[in-house]
Amino acid sequence: MKITGITLWHRRLPLSKPYWLSGGRLKFEALDSTFVRVETDGGLVGWGEGCPWGETYLPAFGGGIRAAMELLAPVLIGENPGDIDRLNRAMDQALPGHPYAKSALDMALWDIAGKRAGAPLFELFGGAEGEGVAVNSSISTGTPDEMVALIDAARAKGYRTHSAKIGGADIAGNIARIEAIEATLPADENVTYDINRAWVPGVAIQVMQSVAGSARGWFEQPCQTLDQCAVVAANTTQPIMLDECLHTFQDHLDAWSRSAGQGCKIKPNRLGGLTRTRQVRDFCVAVGWQMHVEDVGGTVLADTAALHLALSTPEENRLASWLAHAHLVDDYAPGEGARNEGGMVRLAADKPGIGVEPPEDWLGEPLRHFS
Ligand code: MG
């Protein structure tokens, strides 16, 4: 089988409401998504999506994904789509970096691999672990009362794990948010406080030590860099989840060897694809870390691809996943793919590959075709 063509689409995805994070520093109202369809001479096609979480969150640029395709798509044309590891190395040689563009193409190669095998992707990643994957809410930064109200609303949708966005230099304000959430959270629910790198280490240590007796959750990416997070980890007692400072396998190795945290978020778009994310997943299982396996942003396509990897991750290493598509206005495949059903995602065992794809009438006119 050979890759004969790659078609590219661009869609702007409005959020159902503006999203604030990092203590209110960062805001955006829409996502910029790029879709690829990798076509083969056997008639099978694979779908992929590259989508940053807004413009302000990480060094990723929607327009850059499409520009990078000019160099990356020709690398794949004429090649066997099953040579996934080799094609990842070839893309790295043609253009270092640019993980979001590579993630979209790698995702499409895995979609083809699943369809060729007649198996859902989670079976290619090691097989299902448990019946489904718990999903977590995403609670925007606000006053203590606002955040408690958002968690109550998320509970009504079935969520039992919450990602509460806090941050900012206001130490008392952060402690008030944490104490309000802890005071109302039922015993069987979990919360992660996601600082999105808003604190300097001194603030992180002051807040985290102040709530050490009452906060039951993880603290996620308290500071900007891995070095800063390592300082916090050495001076606090709560578990630390690392997210935005991890981009490569080497970053995870450095974080583990320095005891900068006890867990991490692994996201195909940030790490450069399902192939790379699976390598990191297997490393984290080996060292006993816990993970949220999910994607950075995008529609139900990117979410579902990542949830296949989550489902095949051992339950003792797996924390809840989030669904970016739950924040979007548009939904091109209601009920299909990874969906929140009472706080859980169950993936169809009878749909080969990723199991969901964007319809062409929703995508509109292609932007580009490579052949
Ligand atoms: Mg995070």
Side-chain angles (χ1 to χ4, degrees):
M1 185 181 287
K2 291 214 178 315
I3 296 170
T4 52
I6 296 174
T7 307
L8 193 69
W9 288 264
H10 171 219
R11 283 287 309 226
R12 183 176 180 277
L13 307 172
L15 299 181
S16 47
K17 54 182 179 236
Y19 197 88
W20 298 87
L21 51 74
S22 199
R25 271 192 321 142
L26 309 178
K27 180 197 177 190
F28 45 90
E29 300 185 12
L31 306 182
D32 178 316
S33 193
T34 300
F35 295 88
V36 296
R37 184 180 63 199
V38 174
E39 298 133 7
T40 67
D41 58 358
L44 282 182
V45 302
W47 288 89
E49 179 177 13
C51 186
W53 183 237
E55 299 82 17
T56 54
Y57 174 58
L58 278 174
F61 175 46
I65 297 172
R66 296 182 286 282
M69 291 296 170
E70 299 292 327
L71 288 170
L72 295 174
V75 172
L76 303 190
I77 302 292
E79 300 292 340
N80 179 351
D83 292 351
I84 300 179
D85 284 357
R86 183 177 65 78
L87 293 177
N88 268 277
R89 291 194 297 273
M91 288 195 287
D92 283 346
Q93 190 172 333
L95 181 67
H98 299 271
Y100 290 68
K102 288 171 184 168
S103 182
L105 294 169
D106 179 73
M107 187 186 299
L109 296 179
W110 278 105
D111 193 26
I112 292 171
K115 289 170 178 170
R116 269 176 112 168
L121 269 196
F122 63 77
E123 288 189 3
L124 277 63
F125 292 151
E129 300 272 351
E131 296 294 307
V133 178
V135 287
N136 62 260
S137 68
S138 187
I139 306 298
S140 202
T141 300
T143 66
D145 287 348
E146 286 167 351
M147 296 187 77
V148 166
L150 287 172
I151 289 175
D152 289 344
R155 182 175 305 115
K157 294 180 182 172
Y159 292 106
R160 294 292 177 268
T161 300
H162 310 280
S163 174
K165 308 296 178 186
I166 61 172
D170 175 10
I171 290 171
N174 282 302
I175 293 170
R177 287 177 181 131
I178 293 166
E179 288 181 340
I181 291 169
E182 295 289 343
T184 55
L185 198 71
D188 61 346
E189 296 188 19
N190 300 302
V191 61
T192 291
Y193 298 103
D194 192 357
I195 296 95
N196 292 113
R197 64 194 187 271
W199 289 339
V200 293
V203 171
I205 293 165
Q206 282 173 281
V207 175
M208 290 169 67
Q209 289 304 87
S210 294
V211 298
S214 56
R216 70 191 98 165
W218 293 77
F219 283 77
E220 182 174 325
Q221 194 71 41
C223 305
Q224 184 79 28
T225 67
L226 181 54
D227 284 0
Q228 293 168 345
C229 292
V231 169
V232 176
N235 290 283
T236 53
T237 50
Q238 282 98 342
I240 291 178
M241 177 74 50
L242 298 171
D243 186 354
E244 292 102 304
C245 68
L246 302 174
H247 302 275
T248 63
F249 191 97
Q250 182 68 47
D251 290 340
H252 293 77
L253 195 54
D254 291 345
W256 171 76
S257 64
R258 301 180 57 188
S259 298
Q262 294 77 29
C264 62
K265 293 209 158 176
I266 57 172
K267 304 179 180 180
N269 265 280
R270 171 160 52 68
L271 299 179
L274 291 162
T275 301
R276 293 278 145 71
T277 310
R278 183 191 182 188
Q279 291 164 355
V280 169
R281 187 275 305 267
D282 292 343
F283 168 75
C284 292
V285 170
V287 299
W289 269 17
Q290 289 169 273
M291 289 165 274
H292 297 264
V293 186
E294 58 199 30
D295 217 337
V296 181
T299 65
V300 70
L301 175 65
D303 282 341
T304 306
L307 266 285
H308 280 285
L309 191 63
L311 182 60
S312 62
T313 298
E315 290 182 277
E316 60 264 36
N317 300 98
R318 182 177 77 207
L319 297 164
S321 301
W322 94 312
L323 298 172
H325 79 259
H327 296 264
L328 303 177
V329 173
D330 287 356
D331 186 356
Y332 52 70
E336 292 182 40
R339 300 290 172 169
N340 171 30
E341 295 172 51
M344 295 289 287
V345 163
R346 290 175 179 79
L347 296 172
D350 59 352
K351 291 206 170 173
I354 298 171
V356 65
E357 56 190 50
E360 285 190 55
D361 59 353
W362 179 82
L363 287 167
E365 278 299 303
L367 198 65
R368 187 89 164 81
H369 180 74
F370 301 91
S371 60

